Amino acid sequence: QVRDRLKQQVIEMTEKFPGFRPGLAILQVGNRDDSNLYINMKLKAAAEIGISANHIKLPNTATEADVLKCIASLNADPAVHGFIVQLPLDSNKPINTEKITNAVAPEKDVDGLSSINAGKLSRGDLGDCFIPCTPKGCMELIRQTGVQVAGKRAVVIGRSKIVGAPMHDLLLWNNATVTTCHSKTSTLAEEVGKADILVVAAGRAEMVKGEWIKPGAIVIDCGINHVPDSTKASGKRVVGDVAYSSAKEKASFITPVPGGVGPMTVAMLMQSTVESAQRFLEKFQPGKWSIQYNQLTLKMPVPSDIEISQSCVPKPIDQVAKEVGLFPDEVEPYGQTKAKVQLSVLKRLQNQPDGKYVVVTGITPTPLGEGKSTTTVGLVQALGAHLHQNVFACVRQPSQGPTFGIKGGAAGGGYCQVVPMEEFNLHLTGDIHAITAANNLVAAAIDARMFHELTQSDQALYNRLVPSVNGVRKFSDIQIRRLQKLGINKTDPMALTKEEVNAFVRLDIDPSTITWQRVLDTNDRFLRKITIGQSVTEKGFSRTAQFDITVSSEIMAVLALADGLEDMKKRFGRMVVACSKKGQPVTADDLGVTGALAVLMKDAIKPNLMQTLEGTPVFVHAGPFANIAHGNSSVLADKIALKLVGKDGFVVTEAGFGADIGMEKFFNIKCRYSGLRPHVVVLVATVRALKMHGGGPAVTAGVPLPKEYTEENLQLVAKGCSNLNKQIQNARMFGVPVVVAVNAFKTDTKAELALVVQHAKEAGAFDAVECSHWAEGGKGALALARAVQRASQAPSNFRFLYNVELPVVDKIRLIAQQVYGAKDIELLPEAQEKVAVYTKQGFGNLPICMAKTHLSLSHDPEQKGAPTGFVLPIRDIRASVGAGFLYPLVGTMSTMPGLPTRPCFYDIDLDPVSGEVNGLF
């Protein structure tokens, strides 16, 4: 009856909440036969009822720490509603059983063995605790008799924590008069004779005699004992604690052994699990986060970003992790406000449907930027803290170069920030430093290899590359891969011919073809061109080289596009650093450095978890350049976030620069490799930028804005909307609905903002709304959030701009004509040569990553609006083979920025008393 009732309740749950099932976990240590038998009974019952049961088996070598770690993981798993530890613990290591049972979360302790549940039971809080399954089953059997418990005299024989003691409490709080007896009770027969209800759990075969029992008593026998019986094949039979044959003559009801209390105990375990699932549903809606949002205290005028950030008290990062459904063993805290997230979460959530995918981009910006990061944060704060949707922001990690240079930080601004902003803008968890180390290891390996090849014979090189250790030579795995690449299918180092040794040891790098540079995460213009190798120890081997800024390293682009450790390692191995004198590409794998790079980057590949001012979660991960790379945060962060938010949630990510650059690369490169499909484009526009595109004076960082930007000028705005219209067309070209976010500044007039909204809608935007999130936080982006919700329900027929199988020149031409508005392209001689080289080397089918100015749709930063009829010059083409794209260079650009006359660091200081950062950004 109980099982049938529970089965119906589970059906009703799953009908009301599709995809939901009560979950039971059974943790076993060791391999005892009796435990295996009991667990199989429980698993069978769970399957019959419709409960999702999971049996976790630890070896008998498991330590107490092993068991506690497993318990912590199950406590944190929202899919587990009931959780039992099968006793006894069969380990050859000392384990404190009470410590183990008390480690189970009380709200999941369906065995009712924790001290908290036992305490609540003894206190009479029957509606707020779990009761041990055997006493609970006994009470259910007593109720089935129809006899009222209240006022009856009950005797319990046994005082164990599992049966006797809780049975006493249960009968007492059901208003029976209860006496507990045990092996030391001198008048046991006399006490039994007084009992209207007798529960025996002493563990002694047929201890209670039939003649002791009061006529008409209810007898519940919980004992399981083995006694000799020559008539049985096993030589023994199972009996209870009560002499059944004589007792049944006097009792009105009696439970047989076996087959009485045992099955009811299992049924009550199932009932408690279903009850726990019902409590979970009352408290948490499946797929809906229970999250604590921070209340903003808005001030006018809006204080500085650092003042706002430091006035906020962020939630502990482990709380943020728990709120979004991450388990403790999936999170590696770095202090109180940031943490790494393990990639294993993807495997755990592999069957979870993805949420809605939103990309924030912008019109062609002024040098000051138009607030994409601020809008990204404002949108997620509105969706989360105000509309109570599951929502994640996924943003890039900023480089320290711009942070200390002219741009400042990138945590957003005003009341829309990732916090703490000083943590976000500086070292974070050290990912960029890991990239610096990995990149420079490759650079050192290149020059060292050339030096050693110039100064040693083939045999000397071979002896050092494949040394004899204890008289044995052995190729490493990476050396085997090099041999296979050379077509040498040998694994015995002694079997190579002289010609094969020569091919193996000589990379024969042509110094003029080296494309791999050293990097540093600081703006330093004097490292743009340097001479290396000037020490006398380098024996005259010197060459011209340069430093780039770290975020321009191909290793950063690989980090952003990899979908796991294995993929990252393969991409590292494919990175081309130079060509041999015969024109063959030389890779990181050829240098033997791939494994070392993976080791250096093993932690950097894990996304960084932070939060916004209003307490919504943020992944900060990767920060590739938006010109020579694709300018988007990591694929892995997006994938994990999409699983965590669930099918009705939102993931909002940002694409660098304007839609013609960051968004185009987001679609054609990032989405191509990730397999993810976006639902909505949010296009950020400002009156300031549109006035610039309409013919307004130049906007320069650090210089006050001309009056044209601070006074109403509808004509300039209307003329500048040509750029807005073109960027809306660019987004719609990919088949995705566009919502325009008009980021309002205090100098904008209502008429100007309304004009932008009108133009955007007429140009084909799904919707266009004014936003005031910088001054109001998520509240100021509510209209945007609702528009994004509506747009996410509209049809999205996403498509790529080009097929990668097209010739390189055709792919470049398509981007130039369709996205930029160019009439045609012109490849300069160096670019033409590279097309031929890369096509011959097999790289012609890679996507294209255009490296051009972000200040114009054209190659000329002075051409504003939406220029047409121009010919786009392609100066050179380079390859990031590991990352997986070719990047044509349009015009000249530096990958090592310089410091301005007055860098941001003039305003940065540290309070020596409080340790707080002052004046940052």
Side-chain angles (χ1 to χ4, degrees):
Q1 290 174 14
V2 172
R3 289 186 183 188
D4 287 344
R5 183 181 74 244
L6 294 176
K7 188 175 182 178
Q8 185 58 39
Q9 288 175 354
V10 171
I11 290 171
E12 290 170 4
M13 278 188 208
T14 54
E15 287 175 349
K16 188 174 181 180
F17 301 100
F20 178 83
R21 285 178 71 190
L24 172 66
I26 303 172
L27 176 59
Q28 179 185 10
V29 179
N31 194 36
R32 284 175 60 118
D33 289 339
D34 54 350
S35 291
N36 291 333
L37 178 63
Y38 299 145
I39 289 170
N40 285 334
M41 290 169 56
K42 294 166 186 174
L43 294 174
K44 183 179 178 182
E48 179 186 322
I49 292 165
I51 293 171
S52 175
N54 184 20
H55 179 198
I56 302 98
K57 201 167 188 176
L58 298 180
N60 64 0
T61 56
T63 64
E64 186 174 273
D66 295 331
V67 180
L68 290 171
K69 182 180 179 182
C70 189
I71 289 173
S73 177
L74 292 167
N75 283 342
D77 189 344
V80 173
H81 309 106
F83 169 26
I84 68 169
V85 178
Q86 184 68 41
L87 299 177
L89 300 167
D90 179 25
S91 174
N92 57 22
K93 302 287 193 304
I95 297 181
N96 184 327
T97 300
E98 186 169 358
K99 186 176 181 180
I100 295 301
T101 54
N102 279 325
V104 177
E107 67 274 14
K108 297 187 178 187
D109 174 30
V110 287
D111 249 351
L113 300 182
S114 69
S115 297
I116 290 176
N117 278 317
K120 287 182 176 181
L121 174 58
S122 68
R123 208 169 57 182
D125 297 335
L126 304 189
D128 188 34
C129 71
F130 284 113
I131 298 163
C133 297
T134 298
K136 189 173 183 178
C138 294
M139 281 303 300
E140 184 65 26
L141 287 167
I142 293 167
R143 288 192 191 98
Q144 288 292 322
T145 68
V147 174
Q148 291 294 316
V149 174
K152 295 293 188 294
R153 184 180 291 275
V155 171
V156 178
I157 301 178
R159 50 187 172 179
S160 73
K161 294 178 182 178
I162 296 175
V163 182
M167 192 71 232
H168 172 279
D169 294 336
L170 201 52
L171 287 163
L172 179 67
W173 293 112
N174 277 274
N175 301 309
T177 301
V178 188
T179 300
T180 296
C181 300
H182 43 78
S183 59
K184 299 292 190 294
T185 302
S186 58
T187 57
L188 185 58
E190 182 182 337
E191 296 295 338
V192 168
K194 300 175 185 176
D196 301 310
I197 299 169
L198 175 65
V199 181
V200 188
R204 293 174 62 181
E206 300 182 328
M207 179 183 77
V208 176
K209 310 304 179 186
E211 57 268 25
W212 297 359
I213 295 171
K214 180 180 178 180
I218 298 170
V219 178
I220 307 293
D221 188 352
C222 302
I224 298 178
N225 309 283
H226 293 90
V227 296
D229 187 339
S230 59
T231 66
K232 301 290 184 182
S234 63
K236 57 185 178 181
R237 62 186 171 90
V238 177
V239 299
D241 291 354
V242 177
Y244 181 79
S245 57
S246 57
K248 72 177 182 178
E249 301 301 328
K250 299 189 72 174
S252 58
F253 296 91
I254 186 169
T255 57
V257 177
V261 172
M264 281 303 296
T265 298
V266 175
M268 290 301 103
L269 173 62
M270 301 302 123
Q271 181 167 309
S272 292
T273 302
V274 172
E275 287 171 358
S276 180
Q278 289 170 331
R279 292 176 191 176
F280 175 84
L281 290 174
E282 290 169 7
K283 190 174 180 183
F284 304 104
Q285 188 176 336
K288 200 76 174 173
W289 296 341
S290 177
I291 191 165
Q292 172 192 323
Y293 297 108
N294 298 331
Q295 190 80 30
L296 294 178
T297 303
L298 303 177
K299 294 182 180 179
M300 291 297 289
V302 177
S304 69
D305 290 350
I306 189 70
E307 287 180 76
I308 294 172
S309 176
Q310 293 183 343
S311 69
C312 164
V313 179
K315 295 177 289 186
I317 201 63
D318 58 347
Q319 179 184 334
V320 177
K322 184 177 180 181
E323 288 175 341
V324 302
L326 289 165
F327 296 174
D329 60 356
E330 293 171 339
V331 180
E332 300 173 12
Y334 280 59
Q336 294 296 310
T337 56
K338 54 189 186 292
K340 285 281 187 187
V341 174
Q342 296 275 5
L343 304 187
S344 58
V345 68
L346 274 174
K347 184 175 181 181
R348 175 172 66 86
L349 299 176
Q350 60 186 339
N351 296 321
Q352 168 95 322
D354 288 347
K356 305 290 187 181
Y357 198 26
V358 181
V359 59
V360 176
T361 185
I363 63 171
T364 305
T366 69
L368 305 179
E370 308 317 308
K372 292 193 306 298
S373 299
T374 305
T375 302
T376 299
V377 176
L379 175 56
V380 298
Q381 289 183 163
L383 285 166
H386 298 268
L387 297 181
H388 304 292
Q389 301 295 304
N390 293 359
V391 62
F392 239 108
C394 292
V395 299
R396 289 184 293 168
Q397 179 184 355
S399 163
Q400 284 181 189
T403 294
F404 288 115
I406 195 169
K407 182 177 181 291
Y415 287 103
C416 296
Q417 297 184 51
V418 181
V419 291
M421 69 171 305
E422 56 268 44
E423 300 281 348
F424 175 91
N425 283 312
L426 296 176
H427 307 281
L428 199 59
T429 56
D431 294 351
I432 292 180
H433 300 314
I435 292 166
T436 302
N439 182 100
N440 292 344
L441 179 63
V442 177
I446 293 168
D447 288 306
R449 186 57 175 264
M450 288 194 295
F451 173 79
H452 291 308
E453 287 187 25
L454 282 170
T455 57
Q456 296 180 53
S457 66
D458 288 357
Q459 194 58 48
L461 282 168
Y462 192 61
N463 290 343
R464 288 179 171 85
L465 286 169
V466 193
S468 175
V469 180
N470 297 324
V472 178
R473 279 187 169 186
K474 185 181 179 182
F475 290 122
S476 65
D477 290 343
I478 202 165
Q479 288 176 326
I480 294 288
R481 290 203 298 271
R482 170 147 176 82
L483 288 168
Q484 291 170 345
K485 179 180 177 181
L486 294 169
I488 303 171
N489 296 313
K490 296 178 181 178
T491 56
D492 180 1
M494 305 304 293
L496 269 62
T497 66
K498 285 186 177 182
E499 291 76 15
E500 289 170 340
V501 167
N502 174 268
F504 175 74
V505 302
R506 299 281 172 189
L507 298 181
D508 203 21
I509 293 171
D510 180 352
S512 68
T513 66
I514 296 172
T515 55
W516 197 271
Q517 309 297 343
R518 288 164 173 80
V519 298
L520 184 70
D521 197 37
T522 301
N523 288 3
D524 191 344
R525 65 191 313 125
F526 288 94
L527 294 177
R528 289 172 179 170
K529 189 173 183 179
I530 60 173
T531 303
I532 61 173
Q534 296 194 65
S535 169
V536 294
T537 57
E538 310 322 310
K539 301 180 181 179
F541 174 67
S542 64
R543 67 181 182 91
T544 301
Q546 68 187 57
F547 269 83
D548 294 337
I549 197 157
T550 298
V551 291
S552 70
S553 169
E554 185 176 352
I555 289 177
M556 175 64 90
V558 168
L559 175 68
L561 290 170
D563 68 2
L565 275 168
E566 184 179 358
D567 183 47
M568 181 178 72
K569 187 176 174 182
K570 287 179 179 177
R571 287 174 180 268
F572 284 159
R574 293 197 300 263
M575 293 188 306
V576 175
V577 301
C579 286
S580 71
K581 290 172 183 174
K582 292 180 180 178
Q584 295 301 310
V586 177
T587 65
D589 229 30
D590 293 326
L591 288 167
V593 76
T594 304
L597 297 180
V599 170
L600 284 170
M601 294 292 293
K602 68 180 178 63
D603 293 317
I605 196 173
K606 304 167 190 171
N608 304 295
L609 179 65
M610 295 188 75
Q611 62 192 289
T612 67
L613 282 167
E614 295 192 51
T616 57
V618 181
F619 275 140
V620 185
H621 199 217
F625 251 28
N627 48 25
I628 69 164
H630 61 293
N632 289 268
S633 58
S634 79
V635 165
L636 278 168
D638 290 0
K639 285 190 170 184
I640 293 173
L642 284 164
K643 292 297 182 187
L644 288 170
V645 299
K647 68 181 180 69
D648 296 322
F650 291 83
V651 170
V652 182
T653 190
E654 178 192 342
F657 292 156
D660 55 309
I661 301 179
M663 182 196 70
E664 182 270 318
K665 295 174 184 179
F666 171 81
F667 289 146
N668 282 321
I669 298 175
K670 184 176 181 180
C671 290
R672 195 184 298 271
Y673 282 122
S674 70
L676 300 173
R677 298 294 178 260
H679 294 83
V680 184
V681 170
V682 173
L683 185 69
V684 179
T686 63
V687 167
R688 178 180 68 193
L690 293 173
K691 285 181 175 179
M692 177 192 72
H693 288 295
V699 175
T700 306
V703 177
L705 287 171
K707 63 181 179 63
E708 287 84 351
Y709 294 98
T710 57
E711 298 175 0
E712 184 174 287
N713 192 323
L714 297 177
Q715 186 177 357
L716 274 183
V717 174
K719 188 177 178 185
C721 279
S722 61
N723 186 272
L724 173 64
N725 295 352
K726 175 57 178 167
Q727 299 289 31
I728 291 172
Q729 291 171 21
N730 284 341
R732 293 186 67 198
M733 186 190 312
F734 291 91
V736 184
V738 186
V739 174
V740 173
V742 186
N743 189 16
F745 294 173
K746 62 182 179 182
T747 54
D748 301 338
T749 67
K750 289 185 177 180
E752 288 173 331
L753 294 168
L755 182 61
V756 179
V757 168
Q758 177 189 336
H759 269 277
K761 291 179 178 178
E762 290 173 354
F766 177 89
D767 202 352
V769 295
E770 298 175 26
C771 304
S772 54
H773 45 276
W774 179 80
E776 297 182 279
K779 177 185 174 185
L782 268 171
L784 174 61
R786 292 190 176 105
V788 167
Q789 282 184 302
R790 293 193 301 274
S792 72
Q793 302 301 321
S796 177
N797 303 307
F798 175 71
R799 55 189 172 271
F800 298 120
L801 179 63
Y802 54 80
N803 186 322
V804 289
E805 300 299 325
L806 286 173
V808 172
V809 174
D810 290 356
K811 288 182 284 193
I812 296 172
R813 182 177 287 111
L814 272 171
I815 295 171
Q817 292 178 335
Q818 298 295 315
V819 179
Y820 306 156
K823 179 182 178 182
D824 204 352
I825 61 172
E826 178 187 11
L827 267 67
L828 301 183
E830 194 170 356
Q832 293 176 19
E833 181 185 339
K834 291 291 182 62
V835 169
V837 168
Y838 293 144
T839 303
K840 182 180 178 182
Q841 291 177 340
F843 307 141
N845 61 351
L846 292 175
I848 300 299
C849 183
M850 299 290 284
K852 80 166 187 72
T853 178
H854 62 291
L855 298 174
S856 171
L857 280 163
S858 75
H859 57 285
D860 180 0
E862 300 305 318
Q863 288 194 40
K864 304 302 182 182
T868 58
F870 59 92
V871 176
L872 192 75
I874 309 299
R875 179 174 60 84
D876 193 6
I877 301 176
R878 294 177 187 167
S880 287
V881 179
F885 51 75
L886 302 178
Y887 59 99
L889 302 179
V890 181
T892 59
M893 60 188 64
S894 172
T895 47
M896 173 53 83
L899 290 173
T901 305
R902 192 183 193 281
C904 291
F905 59 64
Y906 272 72
D907 301 312
I908 298 171
D909 201 1
L910 185 74
D911 186 318
V913 178
S914 67
E916 282 193 345
V917 177
N918 295 325
L920 187 62
F921 328 121

